[in-house]
Amino acid sequence: MRVPLSWLREYVDLPATETGRDVQAKLISAGLEVETVEHLGADLKGPLVVGQVLTVEELEGFKKPIRFCTVDVGRANGSGEPQEIVCGARNFSVGDKVVVVLPGATLPGGFSISARKTYGKVSHGMICSSDELGMGDDGTHGIIVLPPETEVGKDAVELLELVDEVLDIAVTANRGDCLSIRGVARETAIAYGLPLRDPALLDVPGPNAFGYPVKVSDPAGCDRFTARTVTGLSPEARSPIWLQRRLQKVGMRPISLAVDVTNYVMMELGQPLHAYDRHQVQGTIGVRRAQEGEKIVTLDGVERKLHAEDLVITDDRGPIGLAGVMGGADTEIADHDPAEEGAAATTDVIIEAAHFDQVSVARTARRHKLSSEASRRFERGVDPQAASAAAQRTVDLLVLLAGGTAEAGVTEVIAPSAPHTITLAADHPDKVAGVTYGRETVVRRLQEVGCDVYGQDELIVTVPSWRPDLTDPNDLAEEVIRLEGYENLPSTLPRPPAGRGLTGRQRLHRRIGRALAGAGYVEALNYPFVSEQVFDQLGLEADDPARRVVKLVNPLSDEEPALRTSLLPGLLAALRRNDGRGSHDLALFETGLVFQPRDAARVAANLPVDRRPSPDDIAALNAALPDQPRHVAVVLAGAREQAGWWGKGRPADWADAVEAARTVAREAGAELGIRKGQYGPWHPGRCAELTVTVDGDERVVGHAGELHPRVLKTLGLPARACAMELDLDVLERVGDTVPQAPSISTFPVATQDVALVVDAYVPASDVEAALREGAGELLESVRLFDVYENAEQLGEGRKSLAYALRFRADDRTLTVDEASAAREAAVALATDRTGAVLRG
């Protein structure tokens, strides 16, 4: 809501020294969000005057029409002689009154005006348009043509009210009253402790039997409908400058006098209005729900098919307007256009000021994707008591500005309703804020916002009609607190109970994140939504459990209606996006929840809001939710080690993905098994299956390795990209996160190397496992340091694996015989299990 300070001062006697910034600070303190204060005309410098066009000469020989004009500006130029000006606009003629900026002036944007030669003539100034003066859109997109009675030589800065301050307020959904000058003026008056001149306090005639006939068939949708009629409007009447400028300052475009007046009153009082051409309305005006399939052409020229829940305004022909949203084209106000022959301007109008149901208007506006200034106000709540005053204000302005006559008939259809009352303990705001305000302060503040308050320790509060958002005691407490100043609330830090902090699960996730970040990975957080098509792109089997997804009833995107069962789709999309933007060396990771539907679908019960749910209620709710284990995943592409003076660098490969899994397992204190595997998006020859032992049973918890070329091509990923994904919850379950101090022996280590020849398909991990078991307790570590393949020396389909075995005893120095015996036992078991042969 844009609020000109000059307009605001009409209803609140602000001190002359108060600036827009001062008012902004006061309103922010009272709880309104004033985003900016715009200083109109701050960089405008005169002379800017009213001139009358004396002559117009068309200049020939140029690509666009150019006119050489002489303009009478009175004594504003110091000589009284006509001012010679070159202008390219064509929407004015000889005799018109225009706005002229003379040499020496500065226009908005720092544009200085001086006499200069152009198109073969010397132009001494400019004839101005509204855009050049920073006035906003006036609908003409041309030169400003002033009313004929405007005095030549008059200061146009004052005439056009070009210097002002405008407050831009972000009005929240519950404060519909502040979508009007009246509402903001009330808040300003309270903030400054000044009286308010309420523009809605008008003498309004009572309803009678002579008004235009109106029938409301749906009082729940429309509980108040006021109709007034004004006849004899002058077709030539135009909106005065002051009215047009106020509309422009609040962000609206002047259209015609009747329409401008209804928009002006809406901005002033917050009550949306609509004007009908009386000669186009046939029969009784009605308010009802639309019939399914009915159609209407709205003022924007669009034909709309109506829904049975739409509330519509009708006459004997059918719908003539969407209630509270937009009127119909059939009864549109026709403006006088001298150039259009046979077009009759509207001279008689029916003014509608009604109060419509908030929910009905909101649904209609969204259903038809048709948001308007009227619907914005009705959705947030309009003062129903202001309808008759708004209609009267509109009638008064039309009579004053267009020479119309107000008919004696007044129509008011009102559904009976009682004012809303709330019982409030006098000390309730004290308890909410933790501050002692006292009964007198509570009563005073509630009365300032318009409430009627009775009672002592227990207050009976009648809410004002313009504040439908006040529905319970806490709302009233909030009013007291905000008006007393949020900044006056004491700042007290809560004291957390001793012994409570991060859970073990949270600490593990943080450690894993730090470890992966230390290994060079960058965290990428992705949305948990996927399309089911991605499972085909990843090459998952038709019966893969990962294809069972939880679908959203109301997804953010129809293209991604399901919750993820894997972190890889989001990470691979991030990899593709960054690679496409020129970052080719990438290492990304993410920890997050995946969603797995339960075998038996359950419907979650609605939990009570008036008390804390019981443990059984919470258990039933959790049982209806899908399983949500936390996973960790990494993706890699490009160089893992950069090239430089230190060496050639190294590309990322499957081993880096496996090492990332080992890093995660070390942080979880879990022993991770690694063996050859084959699954979904991974390359069948370069995929590791990751396992742990759970309650004596081996369980697959993830995979790591290089992605399949077919998957890379389908997803548009860089070549040789790698990935890893693990189930963190299972690792946490089997892991031991208690820090283990390393044992340091004073006895020397005995190192024995062994090279074993095995078939090429035998995994190195199987050979290593056999060596560990066979070597016994004396083995401290085993490390694979060489893989050798040579068909001539080893035979076709054979490979040599070289291991370094380290032996050490805790209580003595090992002899050569002891170390050799342990080595031979390890080789023997490896030979028995894997067919390994000691390389000679």
Side-chain angles (χ1 to χ4, degrees), residues 657-694:
V658 174
E659 181 57 30
R662 288 196 178 102
T663 299
V664 172
R666 281 195 296 270
E667 292 297 329
E671 185 175 344
L672 191 66
I674 301 173
R675 65 190 182 199
K676 182 179 179 181
Q678 181 174 346
Y679 177 70
W682 280 277
H683 192 297
R686 297 165 188 165
C687 174
E689 193 173 70
L690 310 174
T691 65
V692 295
T693 301
V694 182

Side-chain angles (χ1 to χ4, degrees), residues 4 51 90 103 176 185 256 337 375 387 605 615 630 641:
R90 308 192 65 79
S256 65
D337 188 353
S375 67
R630 184 173 290 271
E641 297 177 3

Side-chain angles (χ1 to χ4, degrees), residues 212-218 221-222 224-227 274 276 281-290 294-296 306 310-328 330-331 350 352-356 361 364 378:
Y212 197 90
V214 174
K215 180 181 179 181
V216 177
S217 302
D218 190 339
C222 175
R224 181 180 293 263
F225 195 106
T226 300
H274 189 70
Y276 300 94
V281 178
Q282 299 180 11
T284 301
I285 292 178
V287 183
R288 62 169 172 82
R289 298 290 172 174
E294 279 188 310
K295 295 181 179 179
I296 183 176
L306 301 179
D310 291 335
L311 192 67
V312 293
I313 311 298
T314 65
D315 65 3
D316 291 350
R317 296 166 297 177
I320 60 173
L322 282 172
V325 180
M326 186 174 287
D330 290 343
T331 57
I350 302 171
E352 166 210 306
H355 184 261
F356 301 111
V361 172
T364 297
F378 280 122

